[in-house]
Amino acid sequence: MQWDAAIDAYAAHLTDVRRLAPATVRAYRGDLRDLARMAERGGALGPADADLEVLREWLWRATQRGDARSTLARRTASARAFFGWARERGLIGTDPTPRLVAPRRARTLPAVATADGLRAALDDLKADAAGADPITLRDHAMLEMLYGSAIRVSELTGLDIDDLDRARRTTLVRGKGSKERMVPFGVPAEEAVNAYLSESRPALLARGGGASVGGALFLGARGARITPRAVYTVVAARIAPVLGVATVGPHALRHSAATHLLDGGADLRSVQEMLGHASLGTTQIYTHVSTERLTAAYRLAHPRA
């Protein structure tokens, strides 16, 4: 089987069987197409013709282009997963990737706002939203939900009204791979969402001129389901000053919520479940954030530091 056919079949497997998110499938496909172009120039017309030297050459060229270590690590993972699948399907006789070494990824800790800083920012937005226009009411509700439930921006924009259980203050969230989980949110988020639903959403819905939005919880300025890009704009305007950076996205609220949960005594497994992480190792990054914050406070405050 030649490269294009094999990559298409693998992408279908990722979508239909593993149920990965479209963006993840696109990333795998892009990595493998890049490998295929280089391999074909060297005479390897299909996966069965590719050996370890071909793969090493591919990664070396990416290194010469200046690709980040995180990109090289992702490419290595893409190749390993693809050739493992091809071996199981009988498309290749030998998997060349077991000896393919991925560069060690540099640890980068996520940007996290202080609890006091976020509390002040959200309180200011609540004051601005009191009796204000529908957009400000909506923005307040969205930021309270992002921080209060630690969900991803894609999960927020995918929420429907029926997903909310306001009596229990929980919401059904559809995460990566269409996996569902129940996530709690707090009283401030409940109050902000209730105000939005009663005072803001009907006005935004009317702007759509009767266009069907289903049960979408959060609506954009024109009455359609809000997009992740619009949420990014809101977060950048309201949260970037708290972090003291030029730009920041919704994930900063998720990072902050996870770190504050651990700082407050939540156990790692519970935070993993709330975040929807498949691996506990992914959640453990927040323990490093908490440790670094504690170390920094110690060095500033302890007379024998």
Side-chain angles (χ1 to χ4, degrees):
M1 182 180 288
Q2 294 189 327
W3 285 107
D4 285 347
I7 293 172
D8 287 345
Y10 181 57
H13 166 77
L14 295 178
T15 301
D16 300 334
V17 179
R18 294 187 56 190
R19 302 182 67 81
L20 298 185
T24 304
V25 177
R26 284 195 298 272
Y28 272 93
R29 188 190 288 272
D31 289 340
L32 295 172
R33 282 180 171 170
D34 184 68
L35 168 61
R37 285 193 297 269
M38 194 221 75
E40 286 173 340
R41 288 195 295 269
L45 302 182
D49 303 321
D51 57 17
L52 181 59
E53 291 308 310
V54 169
L55 295 172
R56 285 174 172 169
E57 173 76 7
W58 174 54
L59 290 180
W60 179 82
R61 293 192 181 191
T63 303
Q64 295 301 105
R65 286 200 305 265
D67 286 7
R69 281 192 289 180
S70 58
T71 302
L72 296 172
R74 190 201 67 218
R75 286 174 175 265
T76 305
S78 297
R80 283 176 174 165
F82 170 72
F83 281 98
W85 167 85
R87 178 70 180 85
E88 290 177 357
R89 289 293 187 92
L91 302 180
I92 60 176
T94 303
D95 181 354
T97 61
R99 293 173 57 203
L100 186 65
V101 178
R104 185 177 297 275
R105 295 183 63 174
R107 181 178 296 279
T108 56
L109 299 180
V112 171
T114 65
D116 288 342
L118 271 181
R119 184 182 301 110
L122 292 171
D123 285 348
D124 287 346
L125 184 52
K126 180 180 179 180
D128 292 345
D133 64 283
I135 297 296
T136 307
L137 280 165
R138 181 208 64 193
D139 292 350
H140 178 224
M142 289 196 309
L143 295 188
E144 289 283 9
M145 279 297 293
L146 281 170
Y147 179 54
S149 59
I151 58 178
R152 304 176 178 93
V153 63
S154 60
E155 295 168 347
L156 178 88
T157 58
L159 286 178
D160 290 334
I161 295 174
D162 290 344
D163 293 331
L164 298 178
D165 185 338
R166 286 186 273 174
R168 292 184 173 87
R169 290 204 299 273
T170 60
T171 185
L172 177 65
V173 174
R174 295 166 188 84
K176 292 185 176 180
S178 300
K179 295 178 181 177
E180 296 183 346
R181 67 186 191 279
M182 295 298 297
V183 176
F185 56 87
V187 173
E190 176 195 22
E191 293 174 346
V193 169
N194 286 343
Y196 160 75
L197 288 174
S198 62
E199 303 173 38
S200 174
R201 190 179 183 277
L204 294 176
L205 188 61
R207 295 183 184 184
S212 175
V213 295
L217 175 58
F218 290 112
L219 305 181
R222 297 182 180 179
R225 184 185 290 271
I226 198 164
T227 64
R229 183 183 295 273
V231 181
Y232 268 86
T233 301
V234 173
V235 173
R238 290 288 182 173
I239 304 302
V242 178
L243 288 173
V245 296
T247 58
V248 66
H251 236 57
L253 289 170
R254 178 171 162 89
H255 294 322
S256 299
T259 302
H260 297 162
L261 281 166
L262 290 171
D263 286 347
D267 67 274
L268 198 60
R269 287 285 184 186
S270 297
V271 176
Q272 177 193 7
E273 184 176 350
M274 184 169 179
L275 296 177
H277 286 161
S279 167
L280 188 64
T282 306
T283 315
Q284 285 176 326
I285 184 67
Y286 300 109
T287 64
H288 296 286
V289 176
S290 295
T291 300
E292 287 213 349
R293 286 153 59 96
L294 176 62
T295 302
Y298 169 79
R299 287 173 177 167
L300 284 173
H302 199 287
R304 306 284 285 184

